[in-house]
Structure formats: structure tokens, C-alpha cells
Amino acid sequence: MTGIRPVAGSTTAGFSPNPHAGSGTSGDGHDRRRSLATWQQTLDELEGDVVSARAALARGRGDEIAAWGRRTADWVPPTDLGPIPADLRERAARLLQHQLAVGEELVERILQSQRQRDVAARMSYAPSRPVASFVDRGL
């Protein structure tokens, strides 16, 4: 599990209809089971990445959250993935929504952290305040 990997587009993710589905060849059953297993494994990996990112957010460690936010590599589907089976479309759609929600939360946390660092930097370099001085002498 290498991190949250955004789905670049619905066609890339295999959501486009397959014009050759159900062509009636003898290998269709085997190919369908293989495609289903490959897609299940792929969705499991993506889901694991989202769960890991969510756990990092729950721990609230700024360095860990920032590390998730710095990941820039787009997810590239395996070359033999093919179109997503109809049985898994709903799961994939829910996973995509979960990815997007975690991504938004990551961005918000990173922005919040940057704002806090900016405020802390301004406070530490601000001129010191005058210190009250008291003179102890009898009246």
C-alpha cells in the first residue's frame, strides 16, 4: 500500500462500458473470474491506502499528515485490469467518494498546519513587549 492514489478519470479507472462484454467465447467465464479477482485485489489495495490515510489523520501527527499530502504520483491501473465488473461498480464508487473525502481532509489539515506555522513564526520574531517596571521606594 503506497498511499492515496487519485483516480485520474472514470475511463482510466475502468468505468467505461465494455462493448465486447458477453461475446460468447468459451473463455468468457474464466476471463470474467480473473477480471473480478484482479479488480477485487486492486480495490482492496486502494481501500487499504485510504484506511491508512484516515488513520494518519486520526493520530493527528502533523509530519505524518504532511507526508500523505506530499505524495504526487498518480495511480496507474494495472495493464491487465480491463473494465470494472458490474458487481464491483458500487464498491468502487463508494471507495472513490471515501478517497475524495480523505483527500479534502488532508488538504484542510495541511492548510491549517501552514496557517499555524505562519502565526507561530510571526509571534516568535515580533518585537518584545515592554516589561513593566516597579520602583520600590517609600512615600
Side-chain angles (χ1 to χ4, degrees):
M1 293 179 217
T2 59
I4 294 180
R5 293 170 274 188
V7 177
S10 59
T11 304
T12 304
F15 288 97
S16 63
N18 181 0
H20 304 292
S23 60
T25 62
S26 61
D28 278 351
H30 175 70
D31 289 345
R32 186 183 181 303
R33 284 189 304 274
R34 185 171 157 265
S35 175
L36 183 65
T38 303
W39 266 102
Q40 285 174 333
Q41 180 182 7
T42 301
L43 291 175
D44 288 346
E45 289 174 13
L46 289 170
E47 198 165 32
D49 292 341
V50 173
V51 168
S52 294
R54 177 72 71 189
L57 288 168
R59 284 189 293 274
R61 295 194 44 191
D63 56 336
E64 203 175 340
I65 293 169
W68 276 101
R70 285 190 296 269
R71 294 173 187 224
T72 58
D74 283 345
W75 177 70
V76 178
T79 56
D80 63 340
L81 199 54
I84 190 166
D87 306 2
L88 297 176
R89 287 186 182 183
E90 185 177 331
R91 178 183 176 197
R94 282 193 316 265
L95 177 57
L96 177 59
Q97 292 305 310
H98 195 187
Q99 280 182 318
L100 293 172
V102 169
E104 286 176 17
E105 191 172 347
L106 280 168
V107 168
E108 180 57 37
R109 293 278 189 98
I110 290 167
L111 291 173
Q112 182 182 23
S113 176
Q114 287 173 339
R115 286 188 291 254
Q116 288 173 347
R117 278 196 320 246
D118 291 345
V119 168
R122 283 194 305 269
M123 290 174 67
S124 63
Y125 294 115
S128 60
R129 294 181 176 185
V131 179
S133 55
F134 297 95
V135 177
D136 187 16
R137 66 178 190 194
L139 296 172

